[in-house]
Amino acid sequence: MLERRSKREGKVTPRAVIENLLQAIERGDVETVVFVARQPDGLIKSGWSNTLHTELLGLLECGKNHVLCNMSE
């Protein structure tokens, strides 16, 4: 119910993000994953698939730049 309401309101939930990611993985469209998540208590968690740490840092930097570009639109 919450997912449907959020979708109607144009909100993207964590579940929707993960479902889209899983679909992309199943299509073979994803090679590497890195994530950062905030828990309800404010604790930050991160994780990643098996890849070089330098590549992970680059992906995080790309994600940061992507967010910054979306903020200016």
Side-chain angles (χ1 to χ4, degrees):
M1 185 72 173
L2 177 61
E3 290 297 315
R4 278 189 258 154
R5 183 179 327 141
S6 293
K7 188 174 183 178
R8 273 196 319 266
E9 295 173 355
K11 297 177 182 175
V12 181
T13 64
R15 178 181 297 279
V17 170
I18 297 304
E19 286 175 354
N20 288 336
L21 177 60
L22 283 172
Q23 290 172 5
I25 290 169
E26 289 170 358
R27 288 190 309 269
D29 293 341
V30 176
E31 182 178 355
T32 302
V33 173
V34 59
F35 75 88
V36 178
R38 183 174 46 86
Q39 295 180 195
D41 65 0
L43 188 63
I44 304 294
K45 295 284 188 166
S46 61
W48 49 88
S49 57
N50 189 31
T51 192
L52 297 172
H53 288 123
T54 52
E55 182 179 2
L56 295 169
L57 291 172
L59 289 170
L60 288 167
E61 191 65 28
C62 288
K64 175 183 153 186
N65 288 334
H66 189 83
V67 170
L68 288 171
C69 286
N70 284 337
M71 288 172 62
S72 64
E73 292 178 354

